[in-house]
Amino acid sequence: MSGVNALGQPLGARVDDWQPPARPPRTPMEGRTCRVEPLDPARHGAALFTAYESASDDANWTYLPYGPFEAEAHYLDWLEAECTGDDPHFHAVIDLESEQPVGVASYLRIAPDAGSIEVGHIHFSPKLQCTVASTEAMFLMMQRAFALGYRRYEWKCNALNAPSRRAAQRLGFSYEGVFRQAGVYKGRNRDTAWYAMIDAEWPRLHAAFEAWLDPANFVDGVQQVSLTSLTAPILVARG
């Protein structure tokens, strides 16, 4: 709150010179360990299907509203039908060492007029999970959003998806609550947990990511300082 009007009603903080940001461009985001680029079903689809097939079970599909896919052709058809539009705006995560796609993530619910954008449809294969590249991919996407001028960057997940909830907070998203019966997926109820970071928090979060991603933070491949320890003081709520 930044004041009151002539009627004594409280008012929100002023947002002077506000201009809605542009929509995310269809250009790659390059990091040290990965590249995040617009998903092309013809170029990425087969390799992504193979990467997902390397998992020992279908656990990664449980909380997604689609999949698993029994055949590569079915997965490619789904990519063509659902993953080539502007919202959701799907990206493939490319491992720079192998130059192979090893996961996907998207921008969605892109609302320039509100300055709000969400990251979702995150599906990382075993080749990407628990790697520096998996974290760097998320950093590259949030960095672009804030550089474009978005004020709010959201993460939403099934409230029962404990790994996703832990990941959100490790990455610096603050807990904002649970929307009960927010949807139905695969014939089951979904309560949705909401997380977000905002532009006022971004400078500190950016510094945390830079410190964690610094090669000096890793000795023989082992992190010396965890990202959680760097982002935890910035969170305004946990849950």
Side-chain angles (χ1 to χ4, degrees), residues 9-225:
Q9 296 168 307
L11 299 175
R14 293 187 60 85
V15 183
D16 294 319
D17 302 320
W18 163 248
Q19 293 293 329
R23 299 182 71 85
R26 289 190 171 278
T27 55
M29 294 166 266
E30 190 90 15
R32 182 174 60 83
T33 63
C34 69
R35 182 174 65 255
V36 182
E37 61 188 30
L39 193 151
D40 180 343
R43 189 155 53 91
H44 302 130
L48 283 169
F49 183 79
T50 299
Y52 295 139
E53 284 288 283
S54 68
S56 60
D57 55 37
D58 291 332
N60 284 341
W61 296 99
T62 297
Y63 297 111
L64 292 170
Y66 41 77
F69 297 90
E70 295 181 358
E72 179 182 310
H74 297 161
Y75 180 61
L76 296 180
D77 286 345
W78 177 79
L79 290 179
E80 287 285 358
E82 303 294 338
C83 302
T84 59
D86 292 329
D87 193 348
H89 181 180
F90 273 84
H91 292 75
V93 180
I94 311 299
D95 172 67
L96 289 184
E97 185 173 344
S98 66
E99 277 296 326
Q100 290 296 306
V102 288
V104 302
S106 77
Y107 292 126
L108 68 158
R109 297 185 178 89
I110 304 167
D113 286 347
S116 176
I117 188 169
E118 180 180 343
V119 63
H121 295 285
I122 300 166
H123 190 185
F124 291 170
S125 76
K127 297 178 181 180
L128 182 57
Q129 294 167 13
C130 301
T131 65
V132 172
S134 67
T135 297
E136 187 173 40
M138 292 291 92
F139 168 67
L140 291 171
M141 292 185 71
M142 61 181 71
Q143 179 175 246
R144 169 165 285 182
F146 286 116
L148 286 169
Y150 286 88
R151 305 174 63 234
R152 174 178 170 84
Y153 193 65
E154 298 179 334
W155 175 298
K156 303 187 186 84
C157 62
N158 190 308
L160 299 175
N161 189 348
S164 183
R165 298 182 70 160
R166 288 194 298 270
Q169 291 174 109
R170 172 181 176 268
L171 292 169
F173 291 85
S174 292
Y175 175 63
E176 295 187 333
V178 171
F179 281 36
R180 299 174 298 158
Q181 295 190 184
V184 177
Y185 80 108
K186 295 178 178 175
R188 294 185 179 274
N189 175 66
R190 168 169 157 149
D191 295 347
T192 297
W194 283 53
Y195 298 84
M197 59 179 65
I198 60 174
D199 55 355
E201 298 157 356
W202 177 239
R204 293 177 67 198
L205 287 168
H206 187 277
F209 276 97
E210 286 199 321
W212 187 83
L213 289 167
D214 189 329
N217 187 42
F218 296 86
V219 177
D220 296 327
V222 179
Q223 67 176 0
Q224 302 304 292
V225 178

